[in-house]
């Protein structure tokens, strides 16, 4: 089992910055990838950014050039640096870890952290 703990959300004015952190604990070996998703009420959870075990990046078009994803040296931490924040970035941000268990990829989720951007 894998546990994910996020931190770093909060309230910021438009144009400001926030940095989200996520740490995996437990049996976090065989990580296929880690990333961040976000969700607003009534809508689906969407990918923001992810980094694979081969260090390939997948960044949503809506945040390209503003958000940066990185991984810690210990490989069980992932960060999301969010710059030039816009009100439309307001959402609950969820950390995601994909673990390779045999031939199956099993997703794990954090509890979510609220990011609110005021205009």
């Amino acid at each position: 089992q894998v546990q994910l703990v996020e931190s770093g959300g909060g309230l910021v004015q438009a144009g400001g910055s926030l940095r989200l952190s996520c740490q995996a604990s437990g049996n976090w070996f065989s990580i296929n990838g880690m990333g961040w998703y976000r969700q607003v009420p009534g809508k689906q959870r969407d990918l923001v950014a992810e980094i694979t075990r081969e260090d390939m990046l997948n960044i949503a078009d809506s945040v390209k050039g503003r958000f940066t994803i990185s991984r810690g040296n210990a490989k069980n931490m992932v960060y999301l640096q969010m710059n030039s924040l816009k009100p439309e970035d307001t959402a609950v941000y969820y950390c995601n870890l994909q673990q390779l268990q045999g031939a199956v990829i099993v997703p794990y989720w954090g509890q979510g952290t609220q990011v609110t951007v005021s205009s």
Side-chain angles (χ1 to χ4, degrees), residues 43-79:
K43 293 193 175 182
Q44 67 179 18
R45 192 172 296 184
D46 292 326
L47 174 69
V48 177
E50 65 179 354
I51 182 167
T52 71
R53 61 179 176 178
E54 296 89 3
D55 289 332
M56 292 182 64
L57 303 180
N58 185 15
I59 312 294
D61 289 341
S62 59
V63 304
K64 278 182 180 176
R66 300 188 297 121
F67 290 13
T68 303
I69 187 170
S70 61
R71 189 162 51 195
N73 290 333
K75 305 295 184 183
N76 69 325
M77 292 200 68
V78 65
Y79 306 96

Side-chain angles (χ1 to χ4, degrees), residues 2-116:
V2 176
Q3 295 80 41
L4 301 174
V5 177
E6 304 123 329
S7 60
L11 173 65
V12 65
Q13 288 188 331
S17 298
L18 284 174
R19 186 180 191 233
L20 305 183
S21 300
C22 174
Q23 182 171 11
S25 61
N27 184 20
W28 56 267
F29 303 106
S30 300
I31 295 176
N32 194 61
M34 291 186 74
W36 294 92
Y37 287 68
R38 66 186 182 187
Q39 188 173 26
V40 297
K43 293 193 175 182
Q44 67 179 18
R45 192 172 296 184
D46 292 326
L47 174 69
V48 177
E50 65 179 354
I51 182 167
T52 71
R53 61 179 176 178
E54 296 89 3
D55 289 332
M56 292 182 64
L57 303 180
N58 185 15
I59 312 294
D61 289 341
S62 59
V63 304
K64 278 182 180 176
R66 300 188 297 121
F67 290 13
T68 303
I69 187 170
S70 61
R71 189 162 51 195
N73 290 333
K75 305 295 184 183
N76 69 325
M77 292 200 68
V78 65
Y79 306 96
L80 186 68
Q81 179 65 42
M82 305 185 293
N83 298 328
S84 302
L85 282 159
K86 304 176 181 180
E88 51 264 43
D89 295 318
T90 296
V92 177
Y93 284 69
Y94 294 90
C95 179
N96 170 262
L97 181 148
Q98 298 180 22
Q99 186 177 56
L100 188 62
Q101 297 181 4
V104 179
I105 294 177
V106 178
Y108 291 94
W109 296 95
Q111 80 283 357
T113 185
Q114 177 70 46
V115 171
T116 302

